Amino acid sequence: MTLRLHNTLSGAVEELKPLSPPEVRMYTCGPTVYNRAHIGNFRTFVATDVLRRALRHLGYKVTSVMNVTDVEDRIIKFAADAATDIKGFTEPWIAAFEQDMAAMRIEPHDHFPRATAHIPEMVALIERLTARGHTYTADGSIYFRIASLPEYGRLSRLDVAGIQAGTRVDNDRYEKENARDFVLWKLKSDEPKWAQWDAPFGPGRPGWHIECSAMSMKYLGETFDLHAGGVDLIFPHHENEIAQSQGGTGKPFVRHWFHVEHLLVDNETMSKSKGNFYMVRDLVDQGHRPDAIRYLLLQAHYRKKVNFSFEGLGHAVAALERIHSFVRRLPDASGDGPVTPEVEAAIAKAKQAFDEALSDDLNTPEALAAVHNLVSDGNSLLVNGLVSRSGAAALRATIEVFDRVLAVLLPSDEDRLSPEEQALFDERQDSRKRREFQRADEARKKLEGLGVILEDTPKGTRWRRGR
Ligand code: AMP
Ligand code: ZN
């Protein structure tokens, strides 16, 4: 099944057409690690996690990269204030981020590169840009000359005619009204030595935008399929990434741009001064359920604003409990009969609705509705004695398939496969389908090594813990 997805570049919902199907290569702009990430950040990261899982569900193979921005004005200031250096300061924040990602059931990315480990790649890209006439030096810093690239402004629909050529900006973040030549390499002789790198064009440090161009192209190629981030990154960050990459290579950079709308708190923009600023960690420490936070985020379509409130979180818990109690009831089914036509029909209807929802611009609220309909149908079939033990197993298996995308449907007190185990499980199933039995066997043995035993039954492969 194909995925129709909104593309910011064209402004339309269009079929995602990967360069080398079935592989989809995707990049998500990751966190700036000077603090814990807030629930707004996680709205974007959960949306891209579901996108990745949905792609896999629809038959694609995904290579996913998320960067870590670990060189930046605030990081350097805070590290200096704490009398440490970049690594000393950012390491605990990176660990905290990974902990929050796991709490939000976001799968680890295939690559999680840090900007500071990719300075040579950035320097090389700046040299390519210079060789192709896209840069100039002013006061020791290097700037991208936006007038040198006719397509500048296409992603953000900028009125290029209104831009004053030759004015420049040193900040990494600025408004669309102030579109200017932006900095690629900053001369910062007043900053600590540990925040400076040597380069053929003089010591300094990279601007924010160049890091994502350099790292995405390193891991995914000069042209790749999908690039994701929050809507606030469309301008200037993603516009500038396109300029740097296309300016440097002369090739198209990204085919499909995926942008996630913002999260509001009590219908207002989140801000520290308003006191409505929440970190995932604080909410979890206060006893709120991470699966309910994830559920709340999935209840809105990614292109609509989602509102966070404690009342909404309460509704999310109730909705989740409805699904979880159904899953817990399934083992009560009795009878050795086959799966009844009623159960078969309910499952077929749910699967179709679920897949159609995901394929239609990642419509997670509709996908959740398909799950709730299956729960309603399943509950009444249970009451009417139409669910045999094999019917219950089929219902459970369906919820498990849906949960590989949504990752909130199974009660969390239940055992589940870790992402690593799940990847091995999926690899074995795929290899078997392709009749690559040796690979399948290797995956099965690796799982056994992790204490997961597989059992192939007429109804599919089951797993249990054991040695
Ligand atoms: P930052 O660390 O500020 O670069 O943000 C990391 C990611 O979170 C980016 O993709 C931002 O667009 C996204 N983001 C920041 N604030 C929000 C918000 N309130 N709602 C949704 N996404 C956000
Ligand atoms: Zn980025």
Side-chain angles (χ1 to χ4, degrees):
M1 204 158 184
T2 54
L3 175 67
R4 291 173 49 75
L5 199 63
H6 185 265
N7 184 355
T8 312
L9 206 50
S10 64
V13 175
E14 28 176 87
E15 188 183 324
L16 179 75
K17 290 197 178 121
L19 270 176
S20 26
E23 188 187 9
V24 173
R25 302 181 150 230
M26 70 182 273
Y27 184 91
T28 304
C29 289
T32 306
V33 282
Y34 61 91
N35 202 338
R36 286 270 185 184
H38 55 68
I39 46 170
N41 302 137
F42 274 102
R43 201 256 160 129
T44 292
F45 300 145
V46 164
T48 56
D49 180 61
V50 170
L51 172 59
R52 181 180 171 200
R53 289 163 174 271
L55 282 166
R56 224 188 277 137
H57 174 78
L58 298 171
Y60 297 97
K61 181 178 169 289
V62 186
T63 302
S64 178
V65 180
M66 179 186 273
N67 70 297
V68 177
T69 298
D70 63 348
V71 46
E72 198 254 356
D73 299 346
R74 286 163 293 185
I75 291 179
I76 293 165
K77 182 183 178 306
F78 293 149
D81 290 351
T84 176
D85 57 9
I86 288 189
K87 200 161 194 279
F89 177 73
T90 58
E91 206 78 42
W93 294 124
I94 294 172
F97 181 69
E98 290 186 298
Q99 199 185 15
D100 291 347
M101 292 268 281
M104 294 310 290
R105 301 183 183 173
I106 294 172
E107 291 186 337
H109 296 267
D110 301 300
H111 302 278
F112 191 47
R114 296 179 192 187
T116 50
H118 295 78
I119 307 286
E121 286 85 346
M122 299 177 209
V123 168
L125 183 55
I126 296 171
E127 290 195 291
R128 278 173 94 175
L129 284 167
T130 301
R132 293 170 62 97
H134 293 296
T135 69
Y136 62 90
T137 304
D139 303 329
S141 293
I142 302 182
Y143 295 85
F144 187 97
R145 190 191 305 278
I146 58 178
S148 70
L149 198 82
E151 63 259 43
Y152 189 84
R154 208 179 124 202
L155 180 76
S156 50
R157 291 172 178 70
L158 204 62
D159 174 16
V160 192
I163 298 176
Q164 222 191 322
T167 53
R168 44 180 210 271
V169 53
D170 287 325
N171 297 341
D172 286 326
R173 297 180 190 245
Y174 50 95
E175 299 301 315
K176 208 164 150 179
E177 296 67 48
N178 294 321
R180 292 181 196 180
D181 294 344
F182 59 91
V183 72
L184 299 166
W185 189 255
K186 305 187 187 191
L187 175 75
K188 290 270 184 183
S189 31
D190 54 334
E191 284 184 353
K193 276 276 159 283
W194 44 255
Q196 317 257 329
W197 285 265
D198 280 331
F201 35 74
R205 67 171 164 99
W208 173 36
H209 314 297
I210 196 76
E211 65 169 77
C212 283
S213 280
M215 289 191 281
S216 61
M217 294 198 293
K218 170 169 179 171
Y219 291 97
L220 300 174
E222 292 180 345
T223 303
F224 62 92
D225 302 310
L226 190 56
H227 194 314
V231 283
D232 57 307
L233 298 190
I234 297 174
F235 189 88
H237 187 49
H238 290 162
E239 194 67 63
N240 292 353
E241 275 190 50
I242 294 174
Q244 296 162 152
S245 295
Q246 298 190 172
T249 67
K251 297 179 195 160
F253 176 42
V254 167
R255 294 156 63 93
H256 215 110
W257 286 90
F258 174 84
H259 287 110
V260 183
E261 246 308 338
H262 267 188
L263 171 135
L264 302 175
V265 174
D266 297 327
N267 292 310
E268 287 191 73
T269 314
M270 205 169 37
S271 85
K272 282 192 179 130
S273 56
K274 283 188 206 146
N276 65 355
F277 193 89
Y278 297 107
M279 311 287 187
V280 163
R281 170 58 30 192
D282 294 340
L283 294 171
V284 174
D285 285 349
Q286 287 160 20
H288 296 290
R289 282 169 48 173
D291 60 347
I293 303 174
R294 185 170 165 114
Y295 185 97
L296 183 149
L297 297 176
L298 295 179
Q299 267 179 320
H301 187 261
Y302 76 91
R303 284 200 289 130
K304 298 220 170 89
K305 290 195 168 69
V306 64
N307 185 42
F308 177 89
S309 68
F310 288 102
E311 196 191 343
L313 199 55
H315 293 313
V317 170
L320 270 183
E321 274 313 306
R322 182 169 175 270
I323 300 167
H324 293 176
S325 344
F326 173 65
V327 174
R328 289 198 190 92
R329 270 180 83 184
L330 285 172
D332 302 342
S334 57
D336 293 326
V339 181
T340 58
E342 290 82 354
V343 169
E344 300 240 17
I347 290 176
K349 184 178 84 176
K351 281 193 164 158
Q352 190 183 347
F354 187 82
D355 289 3
E356 275 172 9
L358 293 180
S359 317
D360 178 18
D361 199 18
L362 198 69
N363 195 331
T364 52
E366 281 295 324
L368 284 170
V371 175
H372 279 287
N373 287 339
L374 179 65
V375 169
S376 302
D377 291 348
N379 275 328
S380 54
L381 293 170
L382 275 167
V383 171
N384 293 315
L386 287 165
V387 184
S388 60
R389 269 202 295 275
S390 45
L395 285 163
R396 160 96 199 185
T398 307
I399 302 268
E400 281 176 6
V401 168
F402 294 167
D403 195 52
R404 272 182 225 148
V405 180
L406 301 172
V408 288
L409 307 179
L410 298 177
S412 55
D413 48 11
E414 256 193 35
D415 203 1
R416 65 168 71 218
L417 293 178
S418 71
E420 183 197 359
E421 292 162 346
Q422 188 65 53
L424 283 167
F425 184 93
D426 294 342
E427 187 186 314
R428 175 174 183 264
Q429 298 306 86
D430 291 347
S431 305
R432 263 162 51 106
K433 258 190 234 144
R434 288 196 304 267
R435 307 190 66 75
E436 293 172 25
F437 294 111
Q438 198 180 336
R439 271 193 73 175
D441 229 355
E442 274 163 24
R444 187 179 53 78
K445 287 206 181 101
K446 279 191 202 151
L447 278 170
E448 264 175 35
L450 295 167
V452 178
I453 313 285
L454 300 185
E455 209 182 312
D456 294 310
T457 75
K459 280 179 228 92
T461 305
R462 303 236 182 90
W463 62 269
R464 63 183 167 80
R465 303 247 173 231
R467 290 279 168 195

